[in-house]
Amino acid sequence: MASQSQIYAGAFADPVFSAQSVFKSLMDGFARPGQIIRLEASSIPPAPMGAAAGAVALTLCDHDTAVWLTPALGKSAVPQWIAFHTGAPVTDTKTDARFAFVEKGAPVPGFDQFSLGTQEYPDRSTTLVIEIEALTGGEPLTAHGPGIKDDITIAVRGLPEVFLDFWSANRAIFPRGIDLVLTSGDSVLCLPRTSRLSRQEV
């Protein structure tokens, strides 16, 4: 049973200013894929949701955006916390979710289990927010595409081994597909569906 302090506490100290700040950071992140961006506004959501993921939820979710949560998040105080602070409903159906949250260490569902949008309305897809171990120190991948002037290297740590297969399949159905926000600590790394990723040659 979630306590009142878990549900009511931990949101932005200045909701309007903080949400604007995080929103700008996320837009910058999607405009510059692969860049690690530290969020200036902080939140303390109930465990096991991390700080950056909580800030993303507070900023993007509202009563019109259904949210899907992993089983561990769903059994915690997170659903009540999100509902109280954003009004967003929680759904058990992945394809109904505008936003989906996966905590650190949890299995990552196949991206095609979520809403991929349609050819006419590709924006009606799910944005997937995954907390990982770290945004550095992992297998180096080359990222290129819109918003990336030259090829850049990302080396996130904590994604499943099949991630690149998931992402390649996601890219193949463009303009449909999910967008991805990776979080760790108080920082994010955004990958829009337009980004192409490949393993670096040894």
Side-chain angles (χ1 to χ4, degrees):
M1 184 75 177
S3 68
Q4 289 189 341
S5 61
Q6 288 178 301
I7 297 171
Y8 301 147
F12 293 142
D14 185 335
V16 174
F17 178 80
S18 296
Q20 289 175 341
S21 172
V22 173
F23 185 80
K24 182 180 183 302
S25 294
L26 291 171
M27 293 303 98
D28 288 346
F30 277 112
R32 297 182 293 147
Q35 299 292 325
I36 298 172
I37 297 179
R38 181 178 178 275
L39 303 181
E40 297 298 328
S42 62
S43 71
I44 308 175
M49 178 174 271
V56 172
L58 292 173
T59 300
L60 299 183
C61 299
D62 59 32
H63 64 279
D64 288 326
T65 56
V67 171
W68 180 85
L69 302 170
T70 62
L73 289 172
K75 293 175 183 176
S76 70
V78 170
Q80 297 104 308
W81 186 80
I82 288 177
F84 178 76
H85 293 290
T86 73
V90 174
T91 179
D92 293 328
T93 305
K94 295 183 182 72
T95 52
D96 289 341
R98 293 301 303 273
F99 299 98
F101 291 84
V102 178
E103 78 279 9
K104 184 168 63 175
V108 178
F111 297 164
D112 59 357
Q113 296 181 36
F114 297 96
S115 174
L116 302 174
T118 65
Q119 292 296 115
E120 296 79 15
Y121 300 101
D123 58 317
R124 294 180 179 175
S125 63
T126 303
T127 295
L128 187 54
V129 184
I130 304 176
E131 183 178 9
I132 58 175
E133 293 176 23
L135 298 176
T136 59
E139 177 189 9
L141 299 173
T142 298
H144 45 107
I148 303 173
K149 184 176 180 181
D150 299 304
D151 291 352
I152 63 169
T153 296
I154 66 171
V156 300
R157 182 156 40 95
L159 286 171
E161 292 184 5
V162 294
F163 167 74
L164 202 56
D165 294 332
F166 285 177
W167 192 253
S168 296
N170 188 63
R171 274 281 308 147
I173 61 171
F174 182 83
R176 301 167 63 224
I178 67 149
D179 296 314
L180 187 61
V181 179
L182 302 177
T183 71
S184 181
D186 61 359
S187 299
V188 299
L189 184 154
C190 300
L191 289 173
R193 69 196 75 175
T194 54
S195 298
R196 297 186 296 278
L197 301 176
S198 58
R199 287 190 170 90
Q200 296 186 352
E201 297 182 4
V202 178

